[in-house]
Amino acid sequence: MSNPPVEKIDVEAVNKKENRSLYVSRKQIHPKRAEGTFRRLKWIIMGITLAIYYVSPWIRWDRGAGAPDQAILIDFEHRRFYFFFIELWPQEVYYITGILILAALSLFLVTSLFGRAWCGYSCPQTVWTDLFVFVERAIEGDRNARIKLDKAPFSFSKLVKRVTKHTAWIVIGLLTGGAWIFYFADAPTLLRNFISGEAVPVAYSTVAILTATTYVFGGLMREQVCTYMCPWPRIQGAMMDEHSLIVTYHPARGEPRGPHKKNDSWDDRGHCIDCNLCVAVCPMGIDIRDGAQLECINCALCIDACDGVMEKVGLPKGLISYDTHEGSLKKEPVTKVKVPFIRGRTVAYTVLLALVGSIMTYALLTRSALEVNVIRDRNPLYVQLSDGTIRNGYTIKLLNKLHETRRYQVTIDGLEGSKAWLQSEGPRTEQLVVPVPGDSLSAVKLFIAAPRDVLEKGNHDIVVVVKDLVSGLTDTQDTTFKGPK
Amino acid sequence: MSKVEKDEISGTDTTGHEWDGIKELDTPMPRWWLWTFYATIVWAIGYWIVMPAWPLISDHTRGMLGYSSRANVEQELAAVEESRADVLKALRETELAEVKDNQELYQFALTGGRSHFAVNCSQCHGSGAQGGPGFPNLNDDDWLWGGSVDDIYQTIQYGIRSDHEDTRVGNMPAFLKDEILERDQVSDVTEYVLSLSQEGRDAEAVARGKEVFANECASCHGENAKGGRDFGAPNLADAIWFYGGDKETIYKTIANGRANVMPAWEQRLDDAVIRQISLYVHSLGGGE
């Protein structure tokens, strides 16, 4: 064989059982560069997710005059949420709840199928940590160089490297926090104001906070965020079962492990040559050969590392691979992983996803541009007028979600011989027409008076009908007319 | 009975206490927790020094920063007053009937009027201005002294039968108590008054009562009993009763008279406040 021998790396998992103590300070992890299928996949996903994050606020979407032209905008000042063709008012926050439910269910489904795919590939903590490690490697070199630099005495070149690295990290943090604020205001305007110092203080404080958290989480704390701060590793245990895909080492094939010299026989020994490369590349600093563990984010970099080694020593790949718990106990090399995709919990999650998704779609498609709310005066319940008729008062709230002024006609159904008028215009009102400016709510006070003899048992059910005089769109609201018993 | 043991699995000592065979590990506090705890102690001591903290017998420690929530409230109230100065001035200088033309000013007046009404007027007129026996309902279209916004303003300013020199006064005499009418006559007038809004009263008594009414009551209540605003005399022919519309109450009213008082507010409330209340009452549905 012409392959160079595989060296054993001097590294130990940070969470070795024998070394666990209640007070232990963190051991700096220096992940070695990995290469392979999953590393490539991770670079691609990192590119896509970062692009979505940075580019989204800059996409324009024409909504006509008077409305913002930003495709995705959370407008706290005017209490609106825009997402392309969707525009939500604060009282429609249940759509957000729906999206959160969909997101949670998707996460559950993906977890029960592919384990911690979220943690390993698309969690911002993973993506940004990857980015920070990439920058660190570019400036200080790979694992060995970084360890050496750590141990090296203080020198000018060390100072330069450290200052460069931390500056680069802070710049990334600044860009991260900077991108965040563009979701909450018109991006081009805010960028101009931000640079010229005219933006609102909360923009600066948000950027400052997010810069700090990005720098601290991605640069300094890294794997500690996942292990100690994040609740998801604890929750995900409930999502997975013995059929979920996890990054796993096949002990039946690998053990007993031990160093292997070229041309040695593979008989009576395992395929693991104990080179520790899987530990060295791990961003969490753990040893996958200890089995499935809380700290493992399933990023699959150890698979890439081990596959490379197996290729070098001329053995089939897959000593470490994505497999189910069941598959991890098999001795033969993994060629094709069999995952029973259709299981009770995956079906349940899919059905729930479809259900919530359809409800959301239905609600969104049938969303009306007009909403009416009628609030009855309760103090006093009713007023007797001098001619013996009974008068009730109502506050009618008309909500015009269009971007232009509309005139609405208000009529009362179900009360014979009654007369209705707007408080602002007095009892001589001929036709009840209320103009409502675009994208706003108007409240008007309405009086209805009816002769005493039409009232049975004191109460009368009536319907307030509101009609858009331009489009003919109507909305109704049931209410009550009260009188003396 | 305490015996500290080393737990084999975790390698931690137990507390040494045992409850029915259950032992507790003496796991130390996490460091971050301890440090946070110490930090709060330091913070508390600093707080005692700079902020008001310890109660004394008749006072309390003031703290170096001189913070006082009472002073803060005063400051905030002063700021509110200052921010309202312009609009209150505008309200004082605008004709009441014309306030409506300035919607912003009008809405300010209605909102302010509602809360001033709740503080000053609701005790008698009710929180919804619905009144009660002897206290007029301000929602309806029946007014003793006039229902234009200027009339309402005048009533609130000077009151009715109040101690203000510009007050308006109308007296309902005690016809029986002061021996102006006989018992039977009072009863007859009562029948007559009831007949104005009800059918099937005693026709003979009504005829006698009508005569007495023309002599004694029509001067204030009007010949057709529709009331007279110059004297605050209620309309007796409509569906609304000031003190109650049953026979006994009407008899009592005629026999003993009525003289309820609406206080004058000119000395007690700012003119702008009286104007706000006037506009609010006028807006309740009966304003003329």
Side-chain angles (χ1 to χ4, degrees):
Chain A
M1 277 195 232
S2 59
N3 291 333
V6 177
E7 275 175 50
K8 176 166 176 149
I9 298 174
D10 179 28
V11 61
E12 194 174 47
V14 294
N15 63 347
K16 266 269 179 273
K17 196 181 162 198
E18 302 82 70
N19 303 338
R20 274 181 212 167
S21 115
L22 289 163
Y23 285 144
V24 65
S25 41
R26 181 204 182 203
K27 277 186 235 158
Q28 181 70 39
I29 298 168
H30 297 282
K32 189 173 162 59
R33 184 185 149 109
E35 271 172 86
T37 321
F38 293 105
R39 181 64 269 183
R40 267 197 300 282
L41 183 62
K42 273 169 71 73
W43 287 134
I44 292 168
I45 291 175
M46 182 207 269
I48 293 171
T49 47
L50 287 179
I52 290 174
Y53 178 68
Y54 285 109
V55 174
S56 295
W58 296 90
I59 303 170
R60 301 289 104 182
W61 186 269
D62 185 29
R63 292 189 183 85
D69 65 345
Q70 186 157 318
I72 302 172
L73 178 65
I74 302 161
D75 190 346
F76 277 121
E77 193 186 346
H78 303 103
R79 293 171 179 77
R80 295 285 181 278
F81 170 64
Y82 301 95
F83 186 84
F84 294 94
F85 59 94
I86 301 171
E87 180 190 335
L88 296 181
W89 289 48
Q91 69 268 35
E92 293 167 313
V93 74
Y94 49 80
Y95 286 111
I96 312 287
T97 313
I99 289 170
L100 290 177
I101 293 174
L102 283 181
L105 285 173
S106 312
L107 196 54
F108 295 170
L109 179 63
V110 168
T111 303
S112 66
L113 290 175
F114 308 114
R116 292 174 67 179
W118 165 260
C119 299
Y121 297 90
S122 46
C123 174
Q125 176 64 24
T126 296
V127 170
W128 261 270
T129 301
D130 247 13
L131 185 64
F132 273 58
V133 174
F134 172 79
V135 169
E136 188 174 57
R137 188 178 293 135
I139 294 167
E140 298 183 348
D142 204 5
R143 179 182 158 82
N144 290 342
R146 295 208 298 274
I147 293 173
K148 216 173 124 192
L149 187 68
D150 265 9
K151 286 187 185 146
F154 180 80
S155 70
F156 181 71
S157 75
K158 182 173 178 174
L159 182 74
V160 169
K161 279 182 178 169
R162 283 284 144 95
V163 168
T164 317
K165 178 177 82 174
H166 288 281
T167 310
W169 281 354
I170 288 173
V171 168
I172 294 174
L174 205 60
L175 292 174
T176 309
W180 179 261
I181 57 173
F182 295 136
Y183 285 88
F184 301 90
D186 183 57
T189 318
L190 181 57
L191 180 62
R192 243 190 336 270
N193 291 346
F194 193 84
I195 293 169
S196 64
E198 291 163 9
V200 287
V202 68
Y204 294 102
S205 59
T206 305
V207 171
I209 290 169
L210 288 178
T211 304
T213 51
T214 311
Y215 170 72
V216 170
F217 288 175
L220 308 180
M221 291 183 70
R222 294 188 182 169
E223 81 287 347
Q224 298 177 97
V225 175
C226 308
T227 310
Y228 301 115
M229 292 167 68
C230 181
W232 182 233
R234 273 84 179 161
I235 299 168
Q236 48 120 20
M239 306 293 139
M240 289 161 67
D241 56 21
E242 65 276 21
H243 302 299
S244 305
L245 275 182
I246 48 172
V247 171
T248 190
Y249 165 73
H250 297 81
R253 179 185 158 195
E255 302 297 323
R257 67 181 85 151
H260 178 266
K261 287 215 180 76
K262 221 172 170 182
N263 305 327
D264 274 5
S265 157
W266 289 101
D267 298 336
D268 297 328
R269 59 154 295 156
H271 286 178
C272 176
I273 60 166
D274 207 11
C275 65
N276 279 343
L277 192 62
C278 55
V279 182
V281 298
C282 180
M284 305 298 291
I286 58 166
D287 188 343
I288 192 65
R289 295 170 297 174
D290 293 341
Q293 48 204 298
L294 174 81
E295 290 87 345
C296 177
I297 59 169
N298 281 236
C299 67
L301 292 182
C302 51
I303 300 182
D304 281 347
C306 191
D307 280 354
V309 171
M310 288 294 113
E311 211 170 330
K312 272 185 191 164
V313 298
L315 288 173
K317 292 178 181 180
L319 179 57
I320 303 174
S321 71
Y322 269 109
D323 206 341
T324 60
H325 176 69
E326 214 175 331
S328 73
L329 305 172
K330 285 183 195 147
K331 199 168 167 60
E332 60 269 22
V334 179
T335 44
K336 207 173 165 197
V337 181
K338 247 182 80 185
V339 186
F341 283 113
I342 298 171
R343 312 195 307 263
R345 66 177 65 202
T346 58
V347 171
Y349 291 143
T350 312
V351 169
L352 278 174
L353 261 176
L355 196 69
V356 178
S358 341
I359 293 173
M360 292 266 297
T361 315
Y362 176 78
L364 209 55
L365 290 178
T366 53
R367 181 177 176 270
S368 171
L370 162 68
E371 252 180 60
V372 54
N373 280 298
V374 178
I375 304 156
R376 240 193 125 265
D377 280 2
R378 284 170 298 181
N379 188 13
L381 274 177
Y382 58 85
V383 174
Q384 179 179 269
L385 300 182
S386 54
D387 61 0
T389 56
I390 304 296
R391 191 190 75 202
N392 280 208
Y394 302 86
T395 301
I396 298 193
K397 293 190 171 178
L398 296 169
L399 216 145
N400 177 11
K401 292 180 190 169
L402 301 169
H403 287 288
E404 58 187 36
T405 303
R406 281 289 163 94
R407 298 169 73 238
Y408 298 101
Q409 185 179 33
V410 182
T411 44
I412 311 300
D413 272 4
L415 194 59
E416 260 178 73
S418 69
K419 174 156 176 51
W421 67 93
L422 296 174
Q423 179 196 40
S424 54
E425 292 178 25
R428 276 175 305 242
T429 313
E430 284 297 317
Q431 207 188 16
L432 301 177
V433 176
V434 186
V436 182
D439 201 36
S440 64
L441 177 146
S442 286
V444 289
K445 186 84 188 271
L446 183 81
F447 286 125
I448 304 175
R452 200 167 178 155
D453 50 11
V454 302
L455 298 168
E456 301 157 22
K457 290 183 283 175
N459 286 352
H460 209 91
D461 292 331
I462 60 170
V463 184
V464 176
V465 184
V466 176
K467 184 177 169 193
D468 183 337
L469 286 175
V470 178
S471 66
L473 184 70
T474 56
D475 193 13
T476 61
Q477 171 95 45
D478 296 339
T479 183
T480 315
F481 187 92
K482 280 190 190 294
K485 294 213 164 129
Chain B
M1 203 85 80
S2 72
K3 203 179 106 207
V4 176
E5 301 166 39
K6 198 169 180 75
D7 176 58
E8 273 184 25
I9 298 167
S10 61
T12 313
D13 286 345
T14 65
T15 55
H17 302 289
E18 189 175 336
W19 298 271
D20 295 339
I22 299 171
K23 297 169 195 169
E24 190 186 14
L25 290 180
D26 192 11
T27 311
M29 289 288 181
R31 287 261 163 78
W32 68 265
W33 192 97
L34 273 180
W35 285 114
T36 311
F37 180 59
Y38 296 145
T40 56
I41 294 173
V42 173
W43 173 267
I45 294 168
Y47 203 89
W48 294 343
I49 297 167
V50 297
M51 298 292 275
W54 289 98
L56 306 173
I57 288 175
S58 59
D59 197 11
H60 57 83
T61 58
R62 295 284 169 182
M64 283 164 64
L65 291 183
Y67 173 87
S68 152
S69 53
R70 187 178 288 266
N72 281 7
V73 171
E74 273 165 19
Q75 225 168 38
E76 279 168 29
L77 285 178
V80 168
E81 218 139 279
E82 201 190 315
S83 73
R84 285 183 186 161
D86 285 347
V87 66
L88 289 179
K89 184 162 174 275
L91 200 57
R92 280 186 208 106
E93 288 168 0
T94 312
E95 283 289 317
L96 276 171
E98 288 164 13
V99 173
K100 232 179 175 173
D101 300 336
N102 179 348
Q103 268 303 312
E104 206 180 329
L105 190 62
Y106 185 56
Q107 291 307 327
F108 174 87
L110 291 192
T111 312
R114 184 184 297 120
S115 63
H116 289 303
F117 184 92
V119 173
N120 298 295
C121 318
S122 62
Q123 290 83 347
C124 293
H125 288 283
S127 57
Q130 72 274 38
F135 302 100
N137 183 342
L138 306 175
N139 291 280
D140 63 28
D141 57 346
D142 200 11
W143 298 94
L144 294 172
W145 297 93
S148 74
V149 67
D150 286 316
D151 287 334
I152 297 169
Y153 176 60
Q154 189 186 351
T155 303
I156 302 174
Q157 263 189 315
Y158 307 127
I160 304 296
R161 297 177 205 94
S162 72
D163 49 10
H164 196 282
E165 55 182 10
D166 291 329
T167 187
R168 288 187 286 193
V169 180
N171 284 321
M172 174 70 190
F175 284 96
L176 184 65
K177 211 160 96 185
D178 292 348
E179 295 172 359
I180 303 167
L181 294 175
E182 298 293 319
R183 212 170 273 275
D184 293 344
Q185 286 175 305
V186 173
S187 183
D188 291 343
V189 176
T190 305
E191 275 299 307
Y192 170 69
V193 168
L194 280 167
S195 77
L196 295 170
S197 52
Q198 282 177 22
E199 287 179 11
R201 308 299 315 185
D202 179 351
E204 280 180 31
V206 168
R208 288 196 302 273
K210 188 174 182 179
E211 208 169 303
V212 180
F213 187 90
N215 291 334
E216 301 292 343
C217 316
S219 52
C220 290
H221 286 283
E223 281 186 28
N224 48 12
K226 295 230 183 250
R229 287 181 174 179
D230 292 342
F231 315 100
N235 181 345
L236 305 174
D238 66 11
I240 293 171
W241 294 97
F242 192 8
Y243 294 96
D246 57 300
K247 185 169 177 175
E248 198 187 336
T249 308
I250 295 172
Y251 182 91
K252 245 190 217 168
T253 303
I254 300 169
N256 301 329
R258 297 283 185 186
N260 276 23
V261 173
M262 159 83 182
W265 293 90
E266 195 205 15
Q267 307 291 330
R268 309 190 210 183
L269 296 178
D270 186 281
D271 185 43
V273 172
I274 297 181
R275 282 165 176 266
Q276 289 174 53
I277 298 175
S278 307
L279 287 161
Y280 169 69
V281 169
H282 186 257
S283 81
L284 290 173
E288 290 168 353

